[in-house]
Tab-separated table of all heavy atoms in Angstrom:
chain	number	residue	atom	x	y	z
B	65	THR	N	8.816	25.372	7.425
B	65	THR	CA	8.766	25.163	8.914
B	65	THR	C	10.043	24.317	9.214
B	65	THR	O	10.602	23.610	8.492
B	65	THR	CB	7.548	24.231	9.328
B	65	THR	OG1	7.464	23.168	8.679
B	65	THR	CG2	6.223	25.095	8.966
B	66	PHE	N	10.357	24.441	10.545
B	66	PHE	CA	11.570	23.776	10.997
B	66	PHE	C	11.288	23.030	12.397
B	66	PHE	O	11.020	23.948	13.231
B	66	PHE	CB	12.741	24.737	11.141
B	66	PHE	CG	14.048	24.133	11.337
B	66	PHE	CD1	14.313	22.797	11.375
B	66	PHE	CD2	15.170	25.109	11.393
B	66	PHE	CE1	15.642	22.417	11.581
B	66	PHE	CE2	16.446	24.561	11.583
B	66	PHE	CZ	16.741	23.282	11.614
B	67	ASP	N	11.251	21.826	12.520
B	67	ASP	CA	10.965	21.114	13.801
B	67	ASP	C	12.238	20.340	14.270
B	67	ASP	O	12.529	19.303	13.601
B	67	ASP	CB	9.750	20.253	13.576
B	67	ASP	CG	9.201	19.664	14.902
B	67	ASP	OD1	10.159	19.331	15.832
B	67	ASP	OD2	7.979	19.367	15.004
B	68	THR	N	12.948	20.900	15.229
B	68	THR	CA	14.132	20.271	15.634
B	68	THR	C	13.917	19.036	16.436
B	68	THR	O	14.812	18.163	16.568
B	68	THR	CB	15.060	21.166	16.391
B	68	THR	OG1	14.272	21.779	17.560
B	68	THR	CG2	15.515	22.398	15.524
B	69	THR	N	12.683	18.840	16.971
B	69	THR	CA	12.363	17.702	17.740
B	69	THR	C	12.260	16.463	16.713
B	69	THR	O	12.760	15.386	16.974
B	69	THR	CB	11.181	17.888	18.464
B	69	THR	OG1	11.313	18.950	19.459
B	69	THR	CG2	10.763	16.545	19.329
B	70	LEU	N	11.417	16.756	15.621
B	70	LEU	CA	11.264	15.746	14.574
B	70	LEU	C	12.455	15.630	13.695
B	70	LEU	O	12.476	14.780	12.882
B	70	LEU	CB	10.009	16.049	13.760
B	70	LEU	CG	8.678	15.927	14.451
B	70	LEU	CD1	7.486	16.367	13.613
B	70	LEU	CD2	8.441	14.491	15.086
B	71	LYS	N	13.277	16.603	13.719
B	71	LYS	CA	14.560	16.742	12.763
B	71	LYS	C	13.976	16.762	11.402
B	71	LYS	O	14.371	15.987	10.438
B	71	LYS	CB	15.433	15.581	13.020
B	71	LYS	CG	16.099	15.582	14.349
B	71	LYS	CD	17.260	14.655	14.471
B	71	LYS	CE	17.917	14.739	15.891
B	71	LYS	NZ	18.975	13.799	16.063
B	72	GLN	N	13.098	17.795	11.233
B	72	GLN	CA	12.399	17.797	9.839
B	72	GLN	C	12.077	19.299	9.507
B	72	GLN	O	11.775	20.069	10.426
B	72	GLN	CB	11.045	17.033	9.963
B	72	GLN	CG	10.245	16.919	8.691
B	72	GLN	CD	8.957	16.209	8.903
B	72	GLN	OE1	7.889	16.661	9.501
B	72	GLN	NE2	9.061	14.904	8.581
B	73	SER	N	12.139	19.569	8.144
B	73	SER	CA	11.624	20.797	7.702
B	73	SER	C	10.729	20.593	6.631
B	73	SER	O	10.789	19.501	5.810
B	73	SER	CB	12.870	21.513	7.034
B	73	SER	OG	12.258	22.786	6.399
B	74	LEU	N	9.602	21.248	6.550
B	74	LEU	CA	8.585	21.217	5.468
B	74	LEU	C	8.600	22.462	4.656
B	74	LEU	O	8.678	23.474	5.275
B	74	LEU	CB	7.175	21.008	6.085
B	74	LEU	CG	6.917	19.724	6.866
B	74	LEU	CD1	5.506	19.647	7.444
B	74	LEU	CD2	7.253	18.518	6.092
B	75	PHE	N	8.485	22.274	3.359
B	75	PHE	CA	8.418	23.483	2.485
B	75	PHE	C	7.135	23.327	1.723
B	75	PHE	O	6.772	22.281	1.184
B	75	PHE	CB	9.627	23.193	1.459
B	75	PHE	CG	9.720	24.256	0.368
B	75	PHE	CD1	10.324	25.487	0.736
B	75	PHE	CD2	9.218	23.942	-0.872
B	75	PHE	CE1	10.433	26.452	-0.331
B	75	PHE	CE2	9.303	25.007	-1.885
B	75	PHE	CZ	9.894	26.197	-1.674
B	76	HIS	N	6.326	24.422	1.868
B	76	HIS	CA	4.975	24.563	1.195
B	76	HIS	C	5.021	25.538	0.120
B	76	HIS	O	5.531	26.758	0.328
B	76	HIS	CB	4.021	24.898	2.249
B	76	HIS	CG	3.957	24.039	3.560
B	76	HIS	ND1	3.282	22.850	3.619
B	76	HIS	CD2	4.617	24.214	4.689
B	76	HIS	CE1	3.433	22.365	4.727
B	76	HIS	NE2	4.185	22.997	5.430
B	77	ILE	N	4.345	25.299	-1.041
B	77	ILE	CA	4.002	26.248	-1.942
B	77	ILE	C	2.486	26.356	-2.127
B	77	ILE	O	1.904	25.225	-2.450
B	77	ILE	CB	4.656	25.829	-3.396
B	77	ILE	CG1	6.179	25.646	-3.254
B	77	ILE	CG2	4.331	26.951	-4.350
B	77	ILE	CD1	6.700	25.212	-4.584
B	78	THR	N	1.875	27.350	-1.734
B	78	THR	CA	0.444	27.488	-1.867
B	78	THR	C	0.008	27.969	-3.153
B	78	THR	O	0.838	28.618	-3.915
B	78	THR	CB	-0.143	28.433	-0.734
B	78	THR	OG1	0.504	29.639	-0.864
B	78	THR	CG2	0.178	27.893	0.704
B	79	ALA	N	-1.130	27.643	-3.587
B	79	ALA	CA	-1.740	28.106	-4.861
B	79	ALA	C	-0.743	27.833	-5.940
B	79	ALA	O	-0.331	28.689	-6.725
B	79	ALA	CB	-2.090	29.555	-4.824
B	80	SER	N	-0.322	26.536	-6.114
B	80	SER	CA	0.804	26.331	-6.938
B	80	SER	C	0.467	26.389	-8.386
B	80	SER	O	-0.674	26.445	-8.816
B	80	SER	CB	1.203	24.765	-6.796
B	80	SER	OG	0.089	23.941	-7.037
B	81	GLN	N	1.432	26.817	-9.152
B	81	GLN	CA	1.340	27.095	-10.591
B	81	GLN	C	2.338	26.340	-11.425
B	81	GLN	O	3.239	25.863	-10.845
B	81	GLN	CB	1.670	28.525	-10.816
B	81	GLN	CG	0.915	29.580	-9.924
B	81	GLN	CD	1.515	30.929	-9.929
B	81	GLN	OE1	2.527	31.133	-10.604
B	81	GLN	NE2	0.767	31.782	-9.189
B	82	PRO	N	2.021	26.007	-12.712
B	82	PRO	CA	2.876	25.234	-13.558
B	82	PRO	C	4.352	25.824	-13.530
B	82	PRO	O	5.355	25.036	-13.659
B	82	PRO	CB	2.196	25.369	-14.912
B	82	PRO	CG	0.810	25.448	-14.575
B	82	PRO	CD	0.724	26.277	-13.359
B	83	ALA	N	4.448	27.225	-13.386
B	83	ALA	CA	5.805	27.776	-13.363
B	83	ALA	C	6.491	27.403	-12.095
B	83	ALA	O	7.767	27.589	-12.025
B	83	ALA	CB	5.647	29.352	-13.342
B	84	ASP	N	5.965	26.803	-11.064
B	84	ASP	CA	6.542	26.355	-9.931
B	84	ASP	C	7.265	25.028	-10.109
B	84	ASP	O	8.007	24.478	-9.167
B	84	ASP	CB	5.554	26.132	-8.721
B	84	ASP	CG	4.980	27.515	-8.202
B	84	ASP	OD1	5.704	28.540	-8.306
B	84	ASP	OD2	3.826	27.524	-7.884
B	85	SER	N	7.033	24.403	-11.271
B	85	SER	CA	7.683	23.074	-11.573
B	85	SER	C	9.113	23.246	-11.642
B	85	SER	O	9.598	24.009	-12.381
B	85	SER	CB	7.069	22.590	-12.892
B	85	SER	OG	5.681	22.324	-12.833
B	86	ALA	N	9.900	22.457	-10.818
B	86	ALA	CA	11.274	22.453	-10.686
B	86	ALA	C	11.792	21.508	-9.689
B	86	ALA	O	10.962	20.841	-9.024
B	86	ALA	CB	11.742	23.912	-10.208
B	87	THR	N	13.050	21.341	-9.517
B	87	THR	CA	13.522	20.621	-8.468
B	87	THR	C	13.819	21.470	-7.248
B	87	THR	O	14.390	22.559	-7.429
B	87	THR	CB	14.846	19.797	-8.810
B	87	THR	OG1	14.461	18.908	-9.905
B	87	THR	CG2	15.489	19.047	-7.726
B	88	TYR	N	13.372	21.076	-6.109
B	88	TYR	CA	13.694	21.820	-4.839
B	88	TYR	C	14.631	21.036	-3.824
B	88	TYR	O	14.425	19.913	-3.563
B	88	TYR	CB	12.274	22.042	-4.108
B	88	TYR	CG	11.422	23.026	-4.972
B	88	TYR	CD1	10.685	22.513	-5.971
B	88	TYR	CD2	11.467	24.356	-4.770
B	88	TYR	CE1	9.878	23.330	-6.761
B	88	TYR	CE2	10.843	25.253	-5.485
B	88	TYR	CZ	9.871	24.770	-6.496
B	88	TYR	OH	9.124	25.601	-7.233
B	89	LEU	N	15.755	21.797	-3.545
B	89	LEU	CA	16.794	21.135	-2.713
B	89	LEU	C	16.771	21.822	-1.251
B	89	LEU	O	16.613	23.011	-1.249
B	89	LEU	CB	18.139	21.511	-3.375
B	89	LEU	CG	18.378	20.993	-4.759
B	89	LEU	CD1	19.614	21.796	-5.436
B	89	LEU	CD2	18.758	19.488	-4.722
B	90	CYS	N	16.864	20.873	-0.386
B	90	CYS	CA	17.109	21.470	1.066
B	90	CYS	C	18.538	21.310	1.345
B	90	CYS	O	19.205	20.440	0.816
B	90	CYS	CB	16.154	20.887	2.053
B	90	CYS	SG	16.546	19.223	2.524
B	91	ALA	N	19.101	22.095	2.191
B	91	ALA	CA	20.494	22.081	2.572
B	91	ALA	C	20.653	22.407	4.027
B	91	ALA	O	20.051	23.331	4.524
B	91	ALA	CB	21.237	23.096	1.657
B	92	LEU	N	21.459	21.637	4.703
B	92	LEU	CA	21.758	21.788	6.134
B	92	LEU	C	22.972	22.836	6.180
B	92	LEU	O	24.040	22.621	5.569
B	92	LEU	CB	22.163	20.503	6.781
B	92	LEU	CG	21.129	19.325	6.712
B	92	LEU	CD1	21.591	18.247	7.507
B	92	LEU	CD2	19.733	19.830	7.270
B	93	ASP	N	22.723	23.849	7.006
B	93	ASP	CA	23.866	24.840	7.252
B	93	ASP	C	24.230	24.693	8.641
B	93	ASP	O	23.560	25.168	9.589
B	93	ASP	CB	23.223	26.259	6.893
B	93	ASP	CG	24.218	27.395	7.054
B	93	ASP	OD1	25.331	27.060	7.606
B	93	ASP	OD2	23.905	28.456	6.629
B	94	MET	N	25.293	23.920	8.970
B	94	MET	CA	25.721	23.639	10.249
B	94	MET	C	26.583	24.738	10.767
B	94	MET	O	26.874	24.738	12.072
B	94	MET	CB	26.663	22.367	10.185
B	94	MET	CG	25.890	21.091	9.634
B	94	MET	SD	24.424	20.684	10.526
B	94	MET	CE	24.946	20.122	12.116
B	95	ARG	N	26.985	25.720	9.956
B	95	ARG	CA	28.020	26.666	10.344
B	95	ARG	C	29.227	25.948	10.909
B	95	ARG	O	29.643	24.899	10.342
B	95	ARG	CB	27.467	27.652	11.471
B	95	ARG	CG	26.184	28.429	10.924
B	95	ARG	CD	26.591	29.380	9.883
B	95	ARG	NE	25.523	29.655	8.964
B	95	ARG	CZ	25.035	30.851	8.710
B	95	ARG	NH1	25.545	32.035	9.226
B	95	ARG	NH2	24.021	31.072	7.848
B	96	ARG	N	29.919	26.360	11.916
B	96	ARG	CA	31.033	25.647	12.547
B	96	ARG	C	32.004	25.222	11.427
B	96	ARG	O	32.535	24.129	11.545
B	96	ARG	CB	30.531	24.417	13.360
B	96	ARG	CG	29.564	24.802	14.471
B	96	ARG	CD	29.557	23.666	15.512
B	96	ARG	NE	28.917	22.486	14.930
B	96	ARG	CZ	27.609	22.193	15.015
B	96	ARG	NH1	26.827	23.109	15.690
B	96	ARG	NH2	27.079	21.155	14.565
B	97	ASN	N	32.288	26.047	10.629
B	97	ASN	CA	33.279	25.763	9.508
B	97	ASN	C	33.069	24.539	8.666
B	97	ASN	O	33.971	23.778	8.303
B	97	ASN	CB	34.645	25.677	10.151
B	97	ASN	CG	35.197	27.017	10.617
B	97	ASN	OD1	34.966	28.054	9.905
B	97	ASN	ND2	35.755	27.034	11.780
B	98	THR	N	31.796	24.217	8.349
B	98	THR	CA	31.544	23.122	7.431
B	98	THR	C	30.608	23.643	6.435
B	98	THR	O	29.763	24.523	6.605
B	98	THR	CB	30.683	22.004	8.202
B	98	THR	OG1	29.577	22.581	8.884
B	98	THR	CG2	31.661	21.293	9.335
B	99	PRO	N	30.766	23.064	5.212
B	99	PRO	CA	30.058	23.588	4.147
B	99	PRO	C	28.623	23.040	4.109
B	99	PRO	O	28.275	22.111	4.907
B	99	PRO	CB	30.811	22.994	2.893
B	99	PRO	CG	31.565	21.796	3.413
B	99	PRO	CD	31.851	22.139	4.809
B	100	LEU	N	27.695	23.558	3.311
B	100	LEU	CA	26.371	23.150	3.221
B	100	LEU	C	26.271	21.677	2.822
B	100	LEU	O	27.098	21.121	2.051
B	100	LEU	CB	25.603	23.880	2.180
B	100	LEU	CG	25.204	25.331	2.423
B	100	LEU	CD1	24.348	25.859	1.251
B	100	LEU	CD2	24.379	25.478	3.717
B	101	VAL	N	25.306	20.937	3.293
B	101	VAL	CA	25.018	19.581	2.913
B	101	VAL	C	23.702	19.584	2.133
B	101	VAL	O	22.678	19.956	2.772
B	101	VAL	CB	24.904	18.660	4.202
B	101	VAL	CG1	24.644	17.228	3.747
B	101	VAL	CG2	26.219	18.597	4.949
B	102	PHE	N	23.767	19.237	0.962
B	102	PHE	CA	22.479	19.267	0.111
B	102	PHE	C	21.791	17.939	0.167
B	102	PHE	O	22.475	16.846	0.115
B	102	PHE	CB	22.840	19.638	-1.294
B	102	PHE	CG	23.067	21.015	-1.591
B	102	PHE	CD1	24.363	21.578	-1.604
B	102	PHE	CD2	21.979	21.894	-1.808
B	102	PHE	CE1	24.492	22.926	-1.753
B	102	PHE	CE2	22.188	23.225	-2.025
B	102	PHE	CZ	23.440	23.719	-2.015
B	103	GLY	N	20.446	17.996	0.111
B	103	GLY	CA	19.720	16.781	-0.107
B	103	GLY	C	19.576	16.548	-1.573
B	103	GLY	O	20.101	17.306	-2.361
B	104	LYS	N	19.049	15.386	-1.868
B	104	LYS	CA	19.070	14.893	-3.312
B	104	LYS	C	17.966	15.720	-4.165
B	104	LYS	O	18.051	15.655	-5.350
B	104	LYS	CB	18.707	13.493	-3.394
B	104	LYS	CG	19.858	12.537	-2.866
B	104	LYS	CD	19.469	11.123	-3.191
B	104	LYS	CE	20.732	10.235	-2.725
B	104	LYS	NZ	20.464	8.796	-2.921
B	105	GLY	N	17.118	16.371	-3.462
B	105	GLY	CA	16.145	17.172	-4.147
B	105	GLY	C	14.813	16.443	-4.396
B	105	GLY	O	14.714	15.294	-4.508
B	106	THR	N	13.703	17.216	-4.629
B	106	THR	CA	12.401	16.661	-5.006
B	106	THR	C	11.996	17.387	-6.196
B	106	THR	O	11.946	18.596	-6.296
B	106	THR	CB	11.342	16.959	-3.883
B	106	THR	OG1	11.660	16.138	-2.727
B	106	THR	CG2	9.898	16.530	-4.358
B	107	ARG	N	11.661	16.549	-7.251
B	107	ARG	CA	11.264	17.099	-8.517
B	107	ARG	C	9.783	17.463	-8.538
B	107	ARG	O	8.972	16.430	-8.462
B	107	ARG	CB	11.628	16.261	-9.668
B	107	ARG	CG	11.470	16.894	-11.107
B	107	ARG	CD	12.136	15.984	-12.102
B	107	ARG	NE	11.494	14.719	-12.235
B	107	ARG	CZ	11.956	13.550	-11.858
B	107	ARG	NH1	13.188	13.444	-11.164
B	107	ARG	NH2	11.293	12.448	-11.954
B	108	LEU	N	9.375	18.618	-8.480
B	108	LEU	CA	7.916	18.992	-8.359
B	108	LEU	C	7.397	19.246	-9.867
B	108	LEU	O	7.912	19.971	-10.582
B	108	LEU	CB	7.697	20.188	-7.512
B	108	LEU	CG	6.377	20.779	-7.469
B	108	LEU	CD1	5.344	19.792	-6.725
B	108	LEU	CD2	6.268	22.100	-6.697
B	109	SER	N	6.267	18.624	-10.107
B	109	SER	CA	5.501	18.945	-11.376
B	109	SER	C	4.172	19.455	-11.030
B	109	SER	O	3.367	18.702	-10.390
B	109	SER	CB	5.413	17.683	-12.235
B	109	SER	OG	6.656	17.238	-12.630
Side-chain angles (χ1 to χ4, degrees):
Chain B
T65 62
F66 192 2
D67 188 326
T68 55
T69 303
L70 293 178
K71 296 190 176 180
Q72 182 179 81
S73 175
L74 298 178
F75 177 81
H76 306 273
I77 306 175
T78 57
S80 58
Q81 304 165 1
D84 295 325
S85 298
T87 295
Y88 292 86
L89 300 160
C90 71
L92 304 184
D93 182 351
M94 304 301 294
R95 302 288 153 127
R96 300 196 292 267
N97 290 320
T98 56
L100 287 183
V101 178
F102 280 95
K104 290 185 177 180
T106 296
R107 193 171 61 256
L108 174 68
S109 296

